[in-house]
Amino acid sequence: MTKKDKEILFSNPLFASLGQSECEGLIKSGRAKICVFEKGKAIMTASSFTRCLIVILKGSASVSKIGADGRRTVINILRCGDIFGMATLFFEQDFPSEIIAEEPCRLAIFPKELVEEAFAASPEFAKAYVTLLSQKIHFLNSRLSTFTEGETSERFLRWLSAVSGGKTEFCLPCSISRAAETIGVGRASLYRAIGVLSEEKVLKHEGKNIVILKPERLLK
């Protein structure tokens, strides 16, 4: 693990709670791994996953749900420093999502047994884990409103907030047609809403490229 890898790992609230020396101990245990995934490769799927915590050290990845019709709905974008795998670490069930590398990814992978040792060694780590898991539950609840509440423009802006990764200039992870399906509106309705948002100078839109001109609107 490089110096840059460690800086990113220690910046994550969960591992920051453990302390740098304890993190170094996990790294030097030989059980934590570094893995690299090319753009478009599946990191985790329902049929291929291990119970572990994963921190993104470089790149980005999409979190998707696969519907009964086989369609892939992007619900979140994970970026450098983000962590995933918490939902199934201690729950014996199939992995509920599909994680795909949107850019070349470098990942730090901590198996379940190593995480359990961190719990035993540090109450602060356990508390930070519960806090982060609670935040993720709140995030998922807020995502439900993206699909069920508000006018088309409001749904689209909430969805943009989820997939933007905090950026004001970014590329959509899917087509406008798929975005319309994701938030539960018609394609024509979404195009009209985007036109209105462009006229109001909330955003600029060209193909999949989005520029947010009024970031405060994404927070509503």
Side-chain angles (χ1 to χ4, degrees), residues 75-220:
I75 59 175
N76 195 19
I77 298 292
L78 301 168
R79 304 195 182 271
C80 185
D82 287 340
I83 190 169
F84 61 95
M86 300 178 72
T88 54
L89 192 65
F90 298 103
F91 186 48
E92 299 297 324
Q93 188 176 3
D94 291 341
F95 194 71
S97 307
E98 182 178 82
I99 312 292
I100 303 294
E102 293 295 319
E103 301 173 302
C105 284
R106 181 177 173 86
L107 310 174
I109 301 177
F110 298 87
K112 177 183 176 181
E113 295 75 16
L114 202 56
V115 177
E116 289 177 325
E117 292 177 16
F119 281 147
S122 172
E124 290 78 12
F125 182 85
K127 181 178 179 180
Y129 186 94
V130 173
T131 299
L132 186 56
L133 190 57
S134 298
Q135 291 171 350
K136 289 181 176 292
I137 293 172
H138 177 76
F139 169 82
L140 290 174
N141 286 335
S142 69
R143 289 281 69 78
L144 290 176
S145 65
T146 299
F147 303 100
T148 60
E149 298 177 4
E151 300 296 328
T152 298
S153 59
E154 295 173 348
R155 295 189 190 190
F156 184 58
L157 288 174
R158 286 196 295 265
W159 182 73
L160 287 181
S161 180
V163 302
S164 68
K167 295 182 178 181
T168 56
E169 296 186 32
F170 56 95
C171 183
L172 295 178
C174 61
S175 66
I176 295 296
S177 296
R178 181 57 58 83
E181 294 173 0
T182 298
I183 63 177
V185 300
R187 182 177 63 178
S189 177
L190 180 53
Y191 272 111
R192 286 194 296 271
I194 292 174
V196 171
L197 291 171
S198 298
E199 291 176 3
E200 294 176 349
K201 299 189 183 305
V202 176
L203 56 78
K204 288 170 60 178
H205 161 250
E206 184 176 348
K208 288 187 177 182
N209 295 316
I210 296 288
V211 179
I212 304 299
L213 303 175
K214 296 181 179 179
E216 67 276 9
R217 287 290 298 275
L218 297 188
L219 302 178
K220 292 186 177 182

